[in-house]
Amino acid sequence: MNPSQDSSGYWKANVRLILICLFIWAFCSYGCGILFRPLLAGITFGGADLGFWFAQQGSIITFIILIFFYAWRMNKLDKQYGLDEE
């Protein structure tokens, strides 16, 4: 396999991972915090309704989890394509 095909596959996988993480974060912060807030109003979590919780804390927690997930997954992707650090 030539290097341009390797880099093409690496960047496709990288962009796909970024888009998935951005979608999850947008769904949690914008979707659950704003769009679906009326639907989540009856569910209480941490003393507040779930929509409010997602708007205030849930989106931040989701973002932090996604940072660690992205770092873990990129390390695996780097090893797969031979770009890992020793």
Side-chain angles (χ1 to χ4, degrees):
M1 194 174 260
N2 74 35
S4 65
Q5 289 176 337
D6 281 340
S7 65
S8 174
Y10 175 78
W11 283 108
K12 282 181 184 179
N14 187 3
V15 170
R16 184 174 48 243
L17 179 62
I18 290 171
L19 290 176
I20 289 169
C21 289
L22 283 174
F23 175 78
I24 292 169
W25 186 47
F27 177 78
C28 288
S29 61
Y30 186 72
C32 293
I34 298 171
L35 295 177
F36 304 126
R37 189 168 190 270
L39 298 173
L40 300 172
I43 304 168
T44 58
F45 185 79
D49 67 85
L50 192 58
F52 178 78
W53 185 85
F54 265 110
Q56 297 301 313
Q57 295 174 348
S59 61
I60 297 169
I61 292 170
T62 302
F63 182 66
I64 292 170
I65 291 169
L66 284 174
I67 289 171
F68 286 107
F69 171 75
Y70 178 78
W72 171 75
R73 187 64 185 107
M74 280 306 296
N75 284 335
K76 286 183 69 172
L77 192 64
D78 288 346
K79 286 179 185 175
Q80 179 181 347
Y81 284 93
L83 300 170
D84 57 330
E85 297 178 5
E86 298 232 40

